[in-house]
Amino acid sequence: MLQVESLLNQAWKAAAHHTQMLTVDEASIPFRGQARNKVRNPAKPKKNHIKWFVLAAADGPLRGYVFGIDTYGGKGDGGENEDGAKVDYVTRLLEDCLDGKGHVVFCDNYYGSEKLMRTLNDRGIHCCCTFNPNSF
């Protein structure tokens, strides 16, 4: 699965320079088989799924076009704490194509953190996200 993910990401990122506004969100792919990265979430309509972090276009004719995916690898994957893991997923999705080009990334409060905004700002990427006041 990682080989397919890598091939898709290479093809998609070739088109990423066509849009300035991007969004990061998660996607759940229903899956009932055996996989090391399968997630079980009883609150979801499809309880067993594979979770992807997705980078997509947020404006223009490419709105909704996917530029990259990163598969959730389980707890502890990507960072030393929960915020660190989220920042790592977002920065991995944004690598190779966006530094210093004035792109704007939109995300929801799942990703919204001061650490993410500072990390992206240091790379010349603007970030617009909602914050949960209870998370500070």
Side-chain angles (χ1 to χ4, degrees):
M1 183 139 128
L2 291 175
Q3 294 168 338
V4 172
E5 182 180 310
S6 177
L7 289 171
L8 289 172
N9 281 332
Q10 287 174 3
W12 290 335
K13 285 188 179 182
H17 65 278
H18 294 294
T19 185
Q20 183 177 8
M21 300 198 182
L22 301 165
T23 184
V24 175
D25 208 352
E26 59 273 353
S28 297
I29 295 87
F31 184 77
R32 293 179 55 164
Q34 293 183 354
R36 66 173 180 83
N37 54 353
K38 183 171 75 172
V39 177
R40 176 159 174 77
N41 186 346
K44 297 275 186 186
K46 301 289 184 184
K47 312 262 184 269
N48 298 306
H49 58 273
I50 292 177
K51 184 176 183 176
W52 276 352
F53 296 95
V54 179
L55 176 69
D59 69 334
L62 294 177
R63 180 181 296 150
Y65 183 88
V66 173
F67 293 122
I69 56 173
D70 195 358
T71 304
Y72 176 67
K75 212 171 206 182
D77 176 43
E80 67 283 350
N81 60 37
E82 192 174 337
D83 271 350
K86 292 173 191 174
V87 170
D88 286 351
Y89 279 117
V90 173
T91 54
R92 279 198 303 250
L93 284 170
L94 295 171
E95 70 186 5
D96 298 333
C97 61
L98 301 175
D99 288 355
K101 296 185 179 159
H103 285 82
V104 180
V105 176
F106 297 92
C107 50
D108 59 18
N109 64 353
Y110 178 77
Y111 302 96
S113 71
E114 183 180 352
K115 183 177 181 179
L116 175 66
M117 294 188 84
R118 288 185 189 278
T119 301
L120 295 180
N121 190 47
D122 290 345
R123 293 178 57 186
I125 301 170
H126 305 288
C127 183
C128 179
C129 57
T130 56
F131 284 98
N132 183 352
N134 297 328
S135 66
F136 291 98

